[in-house]
Amino acid sequence: MLSDDHVNEIIIEVENVSSGVQSHPSSNQIFQEKVLLDSSINMVSSISDIDVIDSQTVSKRNDQKGNQVLQFSTTLNESISQTLHSLECMRIDTPGSSHETVQGQKLIASLIPMTSRDRIKAIRNQPRTMEEKRNLRKIVDKEKSKQTHRILQLNCCIQCLNSISRAYRRSKNSLSEILNSISLWQKTLKIIGGKFGTSVLSYFNFLRWLLKFNIFSFILNFGFIIIPQFTVAEKNTLQFTGLEFFTGVGYFRDTVMYYGFYTNSTIQHGNSGASYNMQLAYIFTIGACLTTCFFSLLFSMAKYFRNNFINPHIYSGGITKLIFCWDFTVTHEKAVKLKQKNLSTEIRENLSELRQENSKLTFNQQLTRFSAYIVAWVVSTGVAIACCAAVYYLAEYNLEFLKTHSNPGAVLLLPFVVSCINLAVPCIYSTFRLVERYEMPRHEVYVLLIRNILLKISVIGILCYYWLNTVALSGEECWETLIGQDIYRLLLMDFVFSLVNSFLGEFLRRIIGMQLITSLGLQEFDIARNVLELIYAQTLVWIGIFFCPLLPFIQMIMLFIMFYSKNISLMMNFQPPSKAWRASQMMTFFIFLLFFPSFTGVLCTLAITIWRLKPSADCGPFRGLPFFIHSIYSWIDTLSTRPGYLWVVWIYRNLIGSVHFFFILTLIVLIITYLYWQITEGRKIMIRLLHEQIINEGKDKMFLIEKLIKLQDMEKKANPSSLVLERREVEQQGSLHLGERDGSLDLRFRRSVQEGNPRA
């Protein structure tokens, strides 16, 4: 056990450490530390009264701790003197406390051998102000430059590489800041997230993500297809009436909007100018656009899957981070209020999700809800089958209907019926929530998404069958342009119905809920229906990009208008979700639905078009060919006669044109997906085990605390007089200390008045 001499030595060392310039610990502080040490020694002695073996063990440990304290005091004084000397040599202002100086020097010494990235992360994680972090980084860089100058005098290449990497890192950070500053609708998205939560915010994030997709596709088509066609295009002699905006026929037929307007010749200006093969440019540009979309979807799914499913902090709630982490760079009043609203919304989402996960139902309740689920699925499947049958029979007789009716508005019948189905049936699906009553709002959204995607993808599949088997084989003059016009009308009609529903239907629903039937109240934003509208429109754009290269540009305009219309309707006609829930994993599910079955269905449709259908003989860049793919075959045959391009022929025949290559690629993707899934399950098990370990450690601590409380009670009962004497001594020392402090303050006040200090 520690003796009184050891206690005095510890007090002396504390005085040396905590003294700044002339500050000394008070007698009260010293006496309190001594009382604490004496009480700990008495507690150990009481434990020794209970168990002799434990007493010997504890005394040995206390002797070892006393020796360690003496060694620490010696090394601490030496390190303080060395630090002060080094700081004087560097001419750096020393802080008020030498203990802080030692910690600062240790921190600097630990930061110097780190890499640049690790050093930046370590400085960023320090609990300091921005100014202190900047000063710390300057000091570390200065020490690092001195060491590197001494060590790397003969190695200029490494120093050059370090400067290049530093410049690259700074330029990368600057570029990311610029991109964040010019990001679309950043402030609007924060307002939506703060008021309506992450579930509604996921819809607008998905809309912005699709807008970036279409911007890239339009730039690609405009640069490699539309601009070259403009150089050889003839003047359009048709009259523009304005009805073309709704029907897509007439004046637009002989423009770059549709497939039939593009030439099949090789564009060449002058005898010595470079040639531009329009057939290869058309098919390669569309192929590059779809390939880029394919890999972008895969990359986005992997990114969101890693962030929302694999990272361990997803399963740990994250409430601690929300409560105890605040961005102190936010100083504007409106920004602070918006940040507070966002944090409160996220906390409510986390807490409600934890409460919903812990809720349990009885057997009768589970049986009732399971029966309701079965009935809802049977009804929804029957409604979807009836709608698909109606679209199929209407599409079969659509060509005959158009031949017998010369009215220009007759072409809008099929798009009108399809848009009515896409608007009315999802609303019917949304009413099933009153019967099903899911505990988790996320499950309700998933079910609605699956029902709506089955309906809309089935309708698109029937339309594709109609286009490829009826329109393409009907013997029309330019069937590719007819398909492009149908897709344009479908896209435009769906956009018009969505706008009418936003400004009229949702407005009337608010009037009814607020004035006529007040029990209804304001409605909640239907995430599933609105997201499926975006997926449906984007699927039509991908199918129609081969027949109408300007569809990405049209979709850009529609998405831009859609964002503002949905935002205005959201703020006026909707209320926040009644059940707050965290939608961090919704974006992954949205992209997955966009990839499968939407994008995979598009690839199958275009593959059948390119490999199995015969192009029109009088229009388009592939006129006169037996199949669209024959333009690639003839180009490969031409390259096989040139020795310098044999590597291109090998890549096409062994990779692109090989079934085995795509089989192996698909197998690799499936293996990677399976590994990611296993990693996710392993992380979940790890988080569960860590939670159990934390709970067990808490129980152990409670047991030890209860034991210590019992020992203290035993000590009080055994020696009540010693505790009374200690309390009196503490009170006397405290009164003496207060008197000395008051006297010193009075003396300083008199001196300041005599010196004429105005601050006195």
Side-chain angles (χ1 to χ4, degrees):
M1 294 188 293
L2 289 174
S3 63
D4 294 334
D5 296 331
H6 290 175
V7 173
N8 294 329
E9 289 172 0
I10 293 172
I11 294 170
I12 292 170
E13 293 303 324
V14 171
E15 286 183 16
N16 291 330
V17 172
S18 61
S19 59
V21 180
Q22 291 179 351
S23 63
H24 297 281
S26 62
S27 59
N28 189 16
Q29 294 175 349
I30 296 173
F31 183 78
Q32 289 177 357
E33 292 175 1
K34 186 172 181 179
V35 168
L36 289 173
L37 288 172
D38 289 335
S39 63
S40 63
I41 294 168
N42 292 329
M43 185 179 296
V44 173
S45 63
S46 64
I47 296 174
S48 65
D49 294 334
I50 297 173
D51 195 347
V52 178
I53 299 174
D54 292 342
S55 141
Q56 295 175 357
T57 306
V58 172
S59 63
K60 290 179 181 179
R61 289 179 181 176
N62 288 332
D63 292 336
Q64 292 176 0
K65 289 181 180 179
N67 297 328
Q68 291 176 359
V69 169
L70 292 175
Q71 293 176 1
F72 173 75
S73 63
T74 307
T75 55
L76 187 61
N77 286 327
E78 294 177 356
S79 61
I80 290 170
S81 60
Q82 292 176 2
T83 303
L84 292 172
H85 180 70
S86 61
L87 288 174
E88 290 176 358
C89 295
M90 292 172 59
R91 294 180 181 179
I92 299 174
D93 295 335
T94 60
S97 175
S98 58
H99 183 63
E100 295 178 358
T101 307
V102 174
Q103 290 182 349
Q105 287 298 310
K106 289 181 179 179
L107 178 61
I108 293 171
S110 63
L111 290 173
I112 289 175
M114 292 183 181
T115 60
S116 300
R117 182 177 299 177
D118 295 337
R119 187 164 58 250
I120 290 173
K121 289 182 180 179
I123 295 175
R124 188 181 299 166
N125 294 329
Q126 288 293 317
R128 302 172 185 270
T129 61
M130 294 299 296
E131 187 67 26
E132 291 176 351
K133 289 180 181 180
R134 292 192 187 99
N135 295 332
L136 180 61
R137 187 180 63 183
K138 290 178 182 179
I139 295 172
V140 173
D141 290 340
K142 187 175 181 180
E143 290 294 322
K144 184 74 175 177
S145 62
K146 289 181 180 180
Q147 291 187 4
T148 53
H149 181 71
R150 291 193 298 267
I151 297 172
L152 303 177
Q153 288 180 350
L154 301 177
N155 198 346
C156 298
C157 294
I158 297 177
Q159 190 174 3
C160 182
L161 290 174
N162 289 333
S163 61
I164 292 173
S165 64
R166 192 181 298 110
Y168 170 74
R169 187 174 60 255
R170 290 176 180 175
S171 62
K172 183 179 179 181
N173 294 333
S174 302
L175 182 62
S176 64
E177 290 178 359
I178 293 173
L179 292 177
N180 290 330
S181 62
I182 63 175
S183 182
L184 280 174
W185 306 313
Q186 194 73 23
K187 184 178 178 180
T188 306
L189 292 176
K190 289 182 179 180
I191 295 173
I192 294 172
K195 187 174 182 181
F196 294 92
T198 56
S199 57
V200 179
L201 180 63
S202 61
Y203 165 78
F204 290 91
N205 284 328
F206 186 61
L207 190 150
R208 185 176 65 170
W209 188 78
L210 288 178
L211 180 63
K212 296 177 182 178
F213 250 124
N214 289 279
I215 290 173
F216 172 77
S217 301
F218 168 70
I219 292 173
L220 207 62
N221 289 347
F222 187 78
F224 293 97
I225 299 178
I226 298 173
I227 291 179
Q229 180 62 32
F230 271 130
T231 59
V232 295
E234 298 178 358
K235 186 177 180 180
N236 194 348
T237 58
L238 297 176
Q239 184 180 2
F240 181 76
T241 60
L243 190 63
E244 291 85 355
F245 283 114
F246 299 98
T247 61
V249 299
Y251 181 84
F252 288 160
R253 182 184 178 91
D254 292 336
T255 59
V256 293
M257 186 172 177
Y258 294 117
Y259 164 91
F261 182 73
Y262 291 87
T263 181
N264 65 334
S265 61
T266 300
I267 301 174
Q268 185 174 4
H269 297 280
N271 296 327
S272 60
S275 59
Y276 193 82
N277 193 329
M278 199 63 191
Q279 288 183 350
L280 296 178
Y282 198 94
I283 196 168
F284 278 143
T285 303
I286 301 299
C289 180
L290 294 176
T291 304
T292 306
C293 291
F294 175 78
F295 286 107
S296 298
L297 286 171
L298 282 181
F299 175 76
S300 299
M301 278 195 300
K303 175 184 175 183
Y304 285 106
F305 186 80
R306 183 188 67 235
N307 294 336
N308 298 326
F309 287 91
I310 294 180
N311 287 343
H313 65 82
I314 297 301
Y315 308 105
S316 60
I319 299 178
T320 305
K321 181 180 178 182
L322 293 175
I323 296 175
F324 298 105
C325 292
W326 176 261
D327 188 2
F328 288 96
T329 59
V330 179
T331 56
H332 196 267
E333 184 178 358
K334 292 183 178 179
V336 169
K337 291 182 179 179
L338 184 59
K339 185 74 174 177
Q340 291 175 349
K341 188 179 291 185
N342 279 319
L343 288 176
S344 63
T345 305
E346 292 185 25
I347 291 171
R348 285 194 299 109
E349 290 173 354
N350 281 274
L351 294 176
S352 63
E353 186 170 345
L354 292 175
R355 185 176 63 252
Q356 291 161 4
E357 288 178 354
N358 295 327
S359 63
K360 295 181 180 180
L361 300 176
T362 63
F363 177 76
N364 293 330
Q365 291 176 342
Q366 291 179 358
L367 184 61
T368 304
R369 292 197 177 184
F370 185 72
S371 303
Y373 297 159
I374 293 177
V375 172
W377 274 104
V378 170
V379 174
S380 63
T381 306
V383 171
I385 293 173
C387 293
C388 292
V391 173
Y392 175 77
Y393 285 110
L394 181 61
E396 285 292 326
Y397 296 100
N398 187 51
L399 286 177
E400 297 179 2
F401 176 79
L402 294 178
K403 290 178 181 179
T404 57
H405 293 77
S406 58
N407 188 0
V411 295
L412 298 175
L413 177 62
L414 181 62
F416 180 81
V417 174
V418 173
S419 298
C420 286
I421 292 173
N422 289 331
L423 179 64
V425 177
C427 294
I428 297 174
Y429 288 166
S430 299
T431 59
F432 290 168
R433 72 179 67 179
L434 302 176
V435 179
E436 294 174 320
R437 294 181 181 179
Y438 287 97
E439 288 294 330
M440 297 287 290
R442 185 189 297 109
H443 297 165
E444 179 182 333
V445 174
Y446 287 160
V447 170
L448 287 175
L449 283 172
I450 293 172
R451 290 171 181 168
N452 289 327
I453 198 70
L454 289 176
L455 171 68
K456 297 198 174 188
I457 293 300
S458 300
V459 170
I460 292 177
I462 292 171
L463 292 175
C464 290
Y465 177 81
Y466 159 70
W467 291 327
L468 300 182
N469 289 275
T470 304
V471 178
L473 303 178
S474 62
E476 294 289 337
E477 181 181 356
C478 191
W479 60 268
E480 295 92 348
T481 300
L482 293 178
I483 294 177
Q485 291 172 356
D486 281 344
I487 295 175
Y488 170 77
R489 288 190 289 266
L490 284 168
L491 192 64
L492 181 65
M493 190 64 66
D494 184 75
F495 174 70
V496 171
F497 269 66
S498 180
L499 286 182
V500 171
N501 182 47
S502 297
F503 288 109
L504 184 60
E506 294 170 356
F507 175 74
L508 292 177
R509 172 63 177 79
R510 182 175 72 89
I511 296 297
I512 293 171
M514 295 298 294
Q515 297 182 2
L516 299 179
I517 307 175
T518 56
S519 60
L520 293 176
L522 290 177
Q523 59 182 335
E524 296 181 7
F525 190 78
D526 195 344
I527 301 171
R529 180 173 59 83
N530 287 278
V531 166
L532 262 298
E533 288 179 0
L534 297 179
I535 294 177
Y536 170 78
Q538 189 61 40
T539 306
L540 291 177
V541 170
W542 280 332
I543 295 174
I545 195 173
F546 186 81
F547 309 104
C548 182
L550 273 181
L551 273 184
F553 177 71
I554 298 171
Q555 178 71 351
M556 280 170 49
I557 299 174
M558 291 180 178
L559 290 176
F560 199 81
I561 298 173
M562 185 71 68
F563 182 89
Y564 286 102
S565 63
K566 290 292 182 182
N567 183 27
I568 294 172
S569 178
L570 180 70
M571 296 299 175
M572 293 177 57
N573 305 321
F574 290 93
Q575 64 175 347
S578 57
K579 292 182 179 180
W581 55 285
R582 187 162 47 94
S584 59
Q585 300 171 355
M586 291 298 295
M587 194 69 178
T588 310
F589 194 67
F590 295 162
I591 298 175
F592 176 76
L593 290 178
L594 189 65
F595 179 78
F596 180 84
S598 177
F599 188 75
T600 53
V602 170
L603 293 180
C604 295
T605 303
L606 293 180
I608 294 172
T609 303
I610 294 171
W611 267 273
R612 291 290 181 264
L613 297 181
K614 183 179 179 179
S616 298
D618 299 326
C619 68
F622 301 98
R623 66 188 76 172
L625 295 177
F627 299 103
F628 293 95
I629 195 62
H630 273 264
S631 60
I632 304 294
Y633 293 160
S634 60
W635 178 62
I636 292 297
D637 293 338
T638 304
L639 291 180
S640 61
T641 59
R642 300 177 182 179
Y645 296 95
L646 293 177
W647 61 275
V648 180
V649 179
W650 184 89
I651 290 174
Y652 176 79
R653 291 177 178 174
N654 294 277
L655 297 180
I656 299 176
S658 176
V659 180
H660 300 88
F661 171 74
F662 287 100
F663 176 76
I664 295 172
L665 184 63
T666 306
L667 189 63
I668 292 172
V669 171
L670 291 176
I671 291 173
I672 293 173
T673 305
Y674 175 76
L675 290 176
Y676 267 105
W677 184 260
Q678 291 298 318
I679 291 172
T680 305
E681 295 299 322
R683 293 284 176 85
K684 289 181 181 179
I685 295 172
M686 180 185 68
I687 294 298
R688 181 174 56 82
L689 294 176
L690 289 176
H691 277 300
E692 293 178 357
Q693 184 179 354
I694 291 172
I695 293 171
N696 293 329
E697 289 181 356
K699 292 179 180 178
D700 294 340
K701 289 181 179 179
M702 292 300 297
F703 173 75
L704 294 175
I705 290 172
E706 290 177 358
K707 189 173 181 181
L708 287 174
I709 292 173
K710 290 180 181 179
L711 292 175
Q712 288 179 352
D713 294 337
M714 292 172 62
E715 184 180 1
K716 289 178 181 178
K717 292 179 181 179
N719 299 319
S721 59
S722 61
L723 293 175
V724 174
L725 292 174
E726 288 179 358
R727 288 178 183 175
R728 290 178 180 177
E729 290 178 359
V730 169
E731 291 176 356
Q732 292 177 0
Q733 293 292 336
S735 61
L736 290 174
H737 174 65
L738 290 175
E740 293 175 358
R741 185 177 180 183
D742 294 338
S744 61
L745 289 175
D746 184 58
L747 182 59
R748 290 176 185 174
F749 177 75
R750 291 177 181 176
R751 289 179 179 176
S752 61
V753 171
Q754 292 176 0
E755 293 174 359
N757 189 0
R759 295 183 180 179

